[in-house]
Amino acid sequence: MDKVLKEITPKSSDFSQWYVDVIRKADMVDYAPMKGFMVMKPYSYRIWEFIQEAMDRRFKETGHENAYFPLLIPEHLLAKEAEHIEGFSAEVAWVTMGGREVLPERLAVRPTSETIIGAMYSQWIHSYRDLPVLINQWANVLRWEKATRPFLRTTEFLWQEGHTVHRTADEALRETLQQLEIYREVIEEYLAIPVIQGVKSAGERFAGAVDTYTLESLMGDGRALQTATSHFLGQHFSKAFDIQFLDEDGVLKYGWTTSWGSSTRMIGALIMVHGDDKGLRLPPKVAPIQVVIVPIGRGEDREKVLAHARDLAASLTAIARVKLDDRDEFTPGYKFNDWEMRGVPLRIEIGPKDMAKNQVMIARRDTGEKISVAESDLLTKVPELLNAVQDELFRQAKEFQQSHSYAIANYQEMDQYGYRGFFRGDWCGSEECATRLKTETGITIRCLPFGESPVTGHCVVCDEPSQYRALFARAY
Amino acid sequence: MDKVLKEITPKSSDFSQWYVDVIRKADMVDYAPMKGFMVMKPYSYRIWEFIQEAMDRRFKETGHENAYFPLLIPEHLLAKEAEHIEGFSAEVAWVTMGGREVLPERLAVRPTSETIIGAMYSQWIHSYRDLPVLINQWANVLRWEKATRPFLRTTEFLWQEGHTVHRTADEALRETLQQLEIYREVIEEYLAIPVIQGVKSAGERFAGAVDTYTLESLMGDGRALQTATSHFLGQHFSKAFDIQFLDEDGVLKYGWTTSWGSSTRMIGALIMVHGDDKGLRLPPKVAPIQVVIVPIGRGEDREKVLAHARDLAASLTAIARVKLDDRDEFTPGYKFNDWEMRGVPLRIEIGPKDMAKNQVMIARRDTGEKISVAESDLLTKVPELLNAVQDELFRQAKEFQQSHSYAIANYQEMDQYGYRGFFRGDWCGSEECATRLKTETGITIRCLPFGESPVTGHCVVCDEPSQYRALFARAY
Ligand SMILES: [Zn+2]
Ligand SMILES: [Zn+2]
């Protein structure tokens, strides 16, 4: 019965090893034969599909259309926006040969697509009537990484990148924040991960952005993860790529652009926020299997119970994603562990005694609670319980985040918490203080959170009068 | 009013130029600044999304799951299956630098994924209980091409590739044919493109396959296009990649594998099969806009008609993908041409006189027919007409295919038809004849169609006794 569990490192003893153990044992990823690359197996890819569906519907509802731009970007294009190329040059993979010929100019495998999309937009946009341009792309991107960690830091990953052009700065800024709100909604309501919204400090901005807005979440080990970002690019890219339009007043003007992205990294957050020593705990809305049915019956009961379990599975299929585990080579105990490892929200156990009483036993993955339910109530009870699990996972994550959030007046106070958690404190606004903090403690400014009242205190690093309230944390 | 039309080359005078004109004017693609690459603009990408939805649903219904494998493949892996690397080596783009370092081994940007997937499968499959493995991937692939033609031949394209492993040859072959049938269904029922099903001759097989099954369609210029293929790979890849399983009888055996793919090429077929001198004609099931409403009214009528058109659009949105063209900078005539160019199946015209009679005029893009419809009938009439257009486009395409299909006894007979059309004739089975035919006439064997009665004639090339009935054509 402990066959599965025994191979997982407890979360509390080594979080990193626990993470790697869980994703392997839960059959989410495998390592490819090339360093830095991973395979997303069906169980994690299905989660990605649910995230895509939720995001894509909202993108379309807000007037965006999908398109597809080339994977390869000529070096001279990538270099057009100075800060951008500086930010990405160390991470780019280069195609230098096509077929049997050496290419005259090397081509970057896209690390992000602002440049190639900017080059196209400059040809598509002429008049104010062509605006806004609201396009999103679902794509793979490459960033050459030294250290790799599945979902969090891999050379290749899947994401969506939105790229829009607007007539005014105000409209572009509204777009930036609207998309951030879509991310918040999907991440909180589907992934059940609470977020802190804010704007990045200058040192943490996207390369080429005027402002980067971010969602920050607290992982189970007290480190922060940036789950999605939305960038107000001002006119940086429109000037670099000559994206101009003739306005209604007859004046030629540069467009105001935004970009916003979210990636398979969110699946890493999902694991680290909800997982426990038994493995994954998946929020029902993104769980590939919402309900697993495990028949329990030996000898002459076996077939009878199995046939009944099949009927149950068939009736529940209309209201949930159901899997009947009819494998005969494993014991019920082994199966319990196996599906707990994979984070299935509800397990229905059915044996001869349950059958006699026309009831089943339902076990919740989030709380471990076991509930006896009459079969006649299943079609109403299962959706109720799925909602309850969804809510409870969010509640637990929110509680964890709150109980690991600390107000600090001086950065040395973070020491007593082992530098783990969300720390709110004042910051003078100088990059020197940010750098000193990072060097001494590994802590970075995650964001300047929205909704903070005017700041009148002193910087947690230098004790000079502060300009901002900041959210500090060690980050992935 | 002719502003749009005037820029398109007539289909009959230069089909190739017509094709390029249409895709540009209908806003489907743009050329990227790198030779061989194109951008799929929202209007064509949306069509791809409808194709994806139709295919993906059927893949899932037949037990397949999606996954994602790495973009880059180490050279030694790509080279493991001898015929495979020979078939693809001239077309591969190579990544030789990552970040600032030269890589120890160059990495191929995937031209197809049999090799990397085979390497993973060999690690995932141990027992007969692990079979079948039924996985599909939606991805981009690169094949370095000299000549390029949007959708038909570009360096990068989007596709899906299914890769499955089975316990027996028979099961693998059934899978191969089941997937071919899914392609047929989607291509005929969604894209309204009739297909001929068959098996490829040895010389036209996928590199590394035992048998390649194909769907061949006839384009508007009488050339053939392969719209999708499904490969029975036998044990070629399982032996090259050591995909073995312990069978129930205790014997270690090699798996039987298949792969099957379809790509954005289908959009090229869609254009070439249905398009006419006015532009695209889109089958309603894959049309981003199914109904366009053009209000007609000047002066004081303008606002009144527009308001009414808005109400109509709102009520129709529940049953169709509707667009109201309320642009005030264009005349109705210009708009008619514009939406005909984009292939919108139905156009609803509404003016003051129609309003007075509580009716609208509906123009069909497929036949040009104009029908007066009472507003109270719209919610039933519009879906009826959309179905009618879908059926009519298929009927026209089928009729075209049939009227351009010829039985031949000798290959010289093709000359009188300008080598355009589907030619059915006998083949002795020798590659020499196939090569001679190709060299002399540019004609290739598209497939050996299913359902032909036993062949007792003589080869159309060498006049020796024939082995096969073949479908001959010039192909894209
Ligand atoms: Zn300071
Ligand atoms: Zn012959």
Side-chain angles (χ1 to χ4, degrees):
Chain A
M1 187 165 160
D2 279 327
K3 195 169 159 191
V4 180
L5 285 189
K6 158 189 312 172
E7 300 172 47
I8 306 189
T9 307
K11 191 176 161 187
S12 52
S13 75
D14 183 346
F15 191 85
S16 285
Q17 191 57 46
W18 166 83
Y19 177 77
V20 171
D21 288 352
V22 167
I23 55 170
R24 290 298 297 276
K25 294 297 295 177
D27 211 24
M28 296 195 100
V29 305
D30 198 2
Y31 297 97
M34 309 79 73
K35 196 173 163 305
F37 286 83
M38 70 167 191
V39 175
M40 281 180 75
K41 297 184 80 171
Y43 201 61
S44 68
Y45 195 86
R46 193 79 188 102
I47 296 173
W48 181 235
E49 288 181 318
F50 292 126
I51 297 173
Q52 286 187 301
E53 280 169 28
M55 294 264 187
D56 199 69
R57 176 152 43 87
R58 285 165 177 77
F59 296 161
K60 289 194 167 103
E61 281 168 1
T62 48
H64 301 84
E65 298 177 297
N66 291 324
Y68 188 75
F69 296 85
L71 172 72
L72 303 185
I73 304 173
E75 184 166 18
H76 78 271
L77 263 191
L78 196 70
K80 269 200 172 180
E81 211 287 334
E83 290 175 27
H84 189 71
I85 182 71
E86 198 190 315
F88 282 103
S89 64
E91 299 182 354
V92 171
W94 296 100
V95 169
T96 61
M97 294 192 67
R100 297 192 170 105
E101 284 161 29
V102 174
L103 303 179
E105 180 185 16
R106 57 184 191 165
L107 304 172
V109 183
R110 67 180 157 228
T112 178
S113 302
E114 278 75 8
T115 56
I116 180 71
I117 293 181
M120 299 312 300
Y121 282 0
S122 73
Q123 295 177 43
W124 296 353
I125 295 168
H126 307 287
S127 148
Y128 70 95
R129 293 186 199 273
D130 301 325
L131 298 179
V133 170
L134 306 172
I135 288 182
N136 176 62
Q137 164 171 281
W138 293 96
N140 54 342
V141 283
L142 249 74
R143 296 182 188 173
W144 216 257
E145 299 277 1
K146 292 281 179 196
T148 59
R149 198 156 184 71
F151 297 119
L152 303 177
R153 198 170 290 279
T154 48
T155 300
E156 182 183 14
F157 57 91
L158 302 181
W159 78 345
Q160 60 68 218
E161 48 180 326
H163 297 271
T164 69
V165 189
H166 305 266
R167 201 168 160 183
T168 65
D170 190 51
E171 188 187 302
L173 191 55
R174 276 204 309 274
E175 165 82 9
T176 311
L177 294 171
Q178 170 189 282
Q179 297 313 102
L180 192 75
E181 171 59 15
I182 287 177
Y183 291 144
R184 185 206 61 73
E185 195 175 300
V186 173
I187 293 168
E188 292 202 337
E189 294 178 13
Y190 284 72
L191 303 182
I193 299 175
V195 300
I196 304 282
Q197 302 180 66
V199 64
K200 288 282 183 191
S201 60
E204 299 282 336
R205 247 176 231 151
F206 175 74
V210 171
D211 265 320
T212 288
Y213 295 88
T214 183
L215 302 179
E216 301 286 328
S217 300
L218 195 63
M219 302 298 103
D221 62 347
R223 286 169 72 183
L225 187 89
Q226 173 184 303
T227 37
T229 50
S230 187
H231 314 294
F232 173 61
L233 303 174
Q235 295 180 318
H236 289 185
F237 285 87
S238 63
K239 285 182 177 167
F241 289 93
D242 200 30
I243 303 172
Q244 292 195 78
F245 67 96
L246 196 65
D247 208 350
E248 205 166 2
D249 58 13
V251 178
L252 199 62
K253 298 174 184 172
Y254 286 105
W256 297 83
T257 72
T258 84
S259 70
W260 26 276
S262 64
S263 74
T264 41
R265 198 165 212 238
M266 287 181 286
I267 299 174
L270 188 73
I271 298 163
M272 292 196 293
V273 166
H274 301 303
D276 65 16
D277 283 351
K278 291 180 169 180
L280 295 178
R281 297 192 307 166
L282 294 179
K285 283 189 187 173
V286 295
I289 300 167
Q290 294 173 315
V291 181
V292 65
I293 301 178
V294 179
I296 304 171
R298 297 188 186 179
E300 60 189 22
D301 287 331
R302 199 184 167 281
E303 279 309 313
K304 204 178 65 182
V305 171
L306 192 57
H308 189 64
R310 279 206 186 95
D311 292 344
L312 274 185
S315 74
L316 286 174
T317 294
I319 55 158
R321 296 186 285 272
V322 177
K323 163 105 185 163
L324 169 67
D325 187 348
D326 58 2
R327 293 177 291 177
D328 56 11
E329 68 269 33
F330 296 117
T331 64
Y334 178 92
K335 292 178 181 178
F336 291 0
N337 290 340
D338 193 22
W339 297 111
E340 283 175 350
M341 174 69 66
R342 285 162 169 267
V344 175
L346 297 180
R347 178 180 73 234
I348 295 183
E349 306 166 14
I350 173 118
K353 284 178 197 161
D354 301 302
M355 264 182 76
K357 287 187 274 182
N358 293 312
Q359 66 179 35
V360 299
M361 191 62 79
I362 301 188
R364 285 175 62 158
R365 178 65 181 90
D366 57 335
T367 58
E369 193 186 352
K370 283 195 168 199
I371 312 136
S372 176
V373 176
E375 282 188 14
S376 54
D377 292 341
L378 271 181
L379 289 179
T380 54
K381 199 67 187 172
V382 164
E384 260 177 50
L385 283 170
L386 289 173
N387 284 338
V389 174
Q390 183 81 31
D391 293 347
E392 172 62 13
L393 285 175
F394 184 74
R395 195 199 61 74
Q396 287 181 16
K398 187 98 182 169
E399 187 179 89
F400 179 87
Q401 183 202 289
Q402 281 164 349
S403 66
H404 290 76
S405 291
Y406 315 97
I408 53 164
N410 186 299
Y411 78 99
Q412 279 122 351
E413 291 174 42
M414 294 189 276
D415 187 58
Q416 63 186 293
Y417 305 108
Y419 299 96
R420 297 303 168 104
F422 272 166
F423 301 96
R424 272 176 205 253
D426 280 13
W427 176 46
C428 65
S430 84
E431 286 303 324
E432 286 72 18
C433 285
T435 305
R436 184 174 149 203
L437 190 62
K438 189 172 181 178
T439 312
E440 284 188 26
T441 66
I443 293 277
T444 51
I445 298 172
R446 302 318 304 148
C447 69
L448 313 176
F450 290 168
E452 292 284 347
S453 42
V455 170
T456 54
H458 293 82
C459 176
V460 297
V461 183
C462 67
D463 209 37
E464 292 295 310
S466 60
Q467 275 198 62
Y468 306 104
R469 178 69 40 78
L471 180 74
F472 301 97
R474 275 202 190 149
Y476 275 95
Chain B
M1 187 166 158
D2 279 329
K3 195 168 161 192
V4 180
L5 286 190
K6 134 182 346 153
E7 298 171 50
I8 306 189
T9 309
K11 191 177 161 187
S12 52
S13 76
D14 183 345
F15 192 85
S16 284
Q17 191 56 47
W18 166 84
Y19 177 77
V20 170
D21 288 354
V22 166
I23 57 171
R24 288 300 296 276
K25 294 298 295 179
D27 212 22
M28 296 195 100
V29 306
D30 198 2
Y31 297 96
M34 307 80 72
K35 194 173 164 306
F37 286 84
M38 70 167 192
V39 176
M40 280 181 77
K41 297 184 80 171
Y43 200 62
S44 69
Y45 195 85
R46 192 81 189 99
I47 295 173
W48 180 235
E49 289 181 317
F50 291 126
I51 296 173
Q52 286 187 300
E53 281 168 28
M55 294 264 187
D56 199 70
R57 177 154 42 86
R58 286 164 177 77
F59 295 161
K60 289 194 167 104
E61 282 167 0
T62 47
H64 301 84
E65 299 178 296
N66 291 324
Y68 188 74
F69 295 85
L71 172 71
L72 303 185
I73 304 173
E75 185 166 17
H76 78 273
L77 264 192
L78 196 69
K80 271 202 172 179
E81 211 288 334
E83 289 175 27
H84 190 72
I85 182 72
E86 198 191 316
F88 282 104
S89 64
E91 300 183 353
V92 171
W94 296 100
V95 170
T96 61
M97 294 193 67
R100 296 192 172 103
E101 285 161 28
V102 174
L103 302 180
E105 180 185 16
R106 58 183 191 165
L107 303 172
V109 183
R110 65 176 159 232
T112 179
S113 301
E114 277 76 6
T115 56
I116 181 72
I117 293 180
M120 300 313 298
Y121 282 0
S122 73
Q123 294 177 43
W124 297 352
I125 294 167
H126 307 287
S127 148
Y128 71 96
R129 293 185 196 275
D130 300 326
L131 298 179
V133 171
L134 305 173
I135 289 181
N136 176 63
Q137 165 171 278
W138 291 97
N140 55 342
V141 283
L142 249 73
R143 295 181 189 174
W144 216 257
E145 299 277 2
K146 292 281 177 195
T148 59
R149 197 155 186 73
F151 297 119
L152 303 178
R153 197 170 290 279
T154 49
T155 300
E156 182 183 14
F157 57 91
L158 302 181
W159 78 346
Q160 61 67 219
E161 47 179 325
H163 296 271
T164 68
V165 188
H166 305 266
R167 201 168 159 184
T168 64
D170 189 53
E171 188 187 302
L173 191 55
R174 277 204 308 274
E175 165 82 9
T176 311
L177 294 172
Q178 169 189 282
Q179 297 313 103
L180 191 75
E181 171 58 16
I182 287 178
Y183 291 144
R184 185 207 61 75
E185 193 175 303
V186 173
I187 293 169
E188 292 202 337
E189 294 179 13
Y190 285 73
L191 303 181
I193 298 175
V195 301
I196 304 283
Q197 303 179 65
V199 63
K200 287 283 185 191
S201 58
E204 299 282 335
R205 250 176 229 151
F206 175 73
V210 171
D211 265 320
T212 288
Y213 295 88
T214 182
L215 301 180
E216 301 286 327
S217 300
L218 194 65
M219 303 297 104
D221 62 347
R223 286 170 70 184
L225 188 88
Q226 171 184 304
T227 37
T229 50
S230 187
H231 314 294
F232 172 61
L233 303 173
Q235 295 181 318
H236 289 184
F237 284 87
S238 63
K239 286 184 176 166
F241 289 94
D242 201 29
I243 304 173
Q244 294 194 76
F245 67 97
L246 196 64
D247 207 349
E248 206 167 2
D249 58 13
V251 178
L252 199 62
K253 299 175 184 172
Y254 286 105
W256 297 84
T257 73
T258 84
S259 70
W260 26 275
S262 63
S263 74
T264 42
R265 197 164 214 240
M266 287 181 286
I267 299 174
L270 189 72
I271 299 163
M272 292 196 293
V273 166
H274 301 302
D276 65 17
D277 284 351
K278 292 179 169 180
L280 293 178
R281 296 193 308 166
L282 293 179
K285 283 189 187 172
V286 296
I289 300 167
Q290 295 173 314
V291 180
V292 64
I293 300 177
V294 179
I296 304 170
R298 297 187 185 180
E300 59 190 22
D301 287 330
R302 196 184 169 282
E303 278 311 313
K304 205 179 62 182
V305 171
L306 192 57
H308 188 64
R310 278 204 187 93
D311 292 344
L312 274 186
S315 74
L316 285 175
T317 294
I319 54 157
R321 295 187 286 273
V322 177
K323 163 106 185 162
L324 168 67
D325 187 348
D326 58 1
R327 293 176 293 177
D328 57 11
E329 69 268 33
F330 296 116
T331 64
Y334 178 92
K335 291 178 182 178
F336 291 180
N337 291 340
D338 194 20
W339 297 113
E340 283 174 351
M341 174 69 66
R342 286 162 169 267
V344 175
L346 298 179
R347 178 179 75 234
I348 295 183
E349 305 167 13
I350 173 118
K353 284 178 195 160
D354 303 302
M355 265 182 75
K357 287 187 275 181
N358 295 313
Q359 65 179 37
V360 298
M361 191 62 79
I362 301 188
R364 285 174 62 158
R365 179 64 180 89
D366 57 335
T367 57
E369 192 187 353
K370 283 196 168 198
I371 312 137
S372 176
V373 175
E375 283 188 13
S376 54
D377 293 340
L378 270 181
L379 290 180
T380 53
K381 199 69 188 168
V382 164
E384 260 175 50
L385 283 169
L386 289 173
N387 285 337
V389 174
Q390 183 80 32
D391 293 346
E392 173 63 12
L393 285 175
F394 184 73
R395 196 198 61 74
Q396 287 181 16
K398 187 96 182 171
E399 186 178 271
F400 179 86
Q401 183 204 288
Q402 281 164 350
S403 66
H404 290 76
S405 291
Y406 314 98
I408 54 164
N410 185 299
Y411 78 100
Q412 279 123 349
E413 291 173 41
M414 295 188 276
D415 188 59
Q416 64 186 293
Y417 305 108
Y419 300 96
R420 297 305 168 103
F422 272 166
F423 301 96
R424 271 176 207 251
D426 280 13
W427 176 46
C428 65
S430 84
E431 286 304 322
E432 286 72 19
C433 285
T435 305
R436 183 172 149 206
L437 190 63
K438 188 172 183 179
T439 313
E440 283 187 28
T441 67
I443 294 277
T444 50
I445 298 172
R446 302 318 304 147
C447 69
L448 314 177
F450 290 168
E452 292 285 345
S453 41
V455 170
T456 54
H458 293 83
C459 176
V460 297
V461 182
C462 68
D463 208 36
E464 295 293 312
S466 60
Q467 275 200 60
Y468 306 103
R469 178 69 39 77
L471 181 73
F472 301 96
R474 275 203 189 146
Y476 276 95

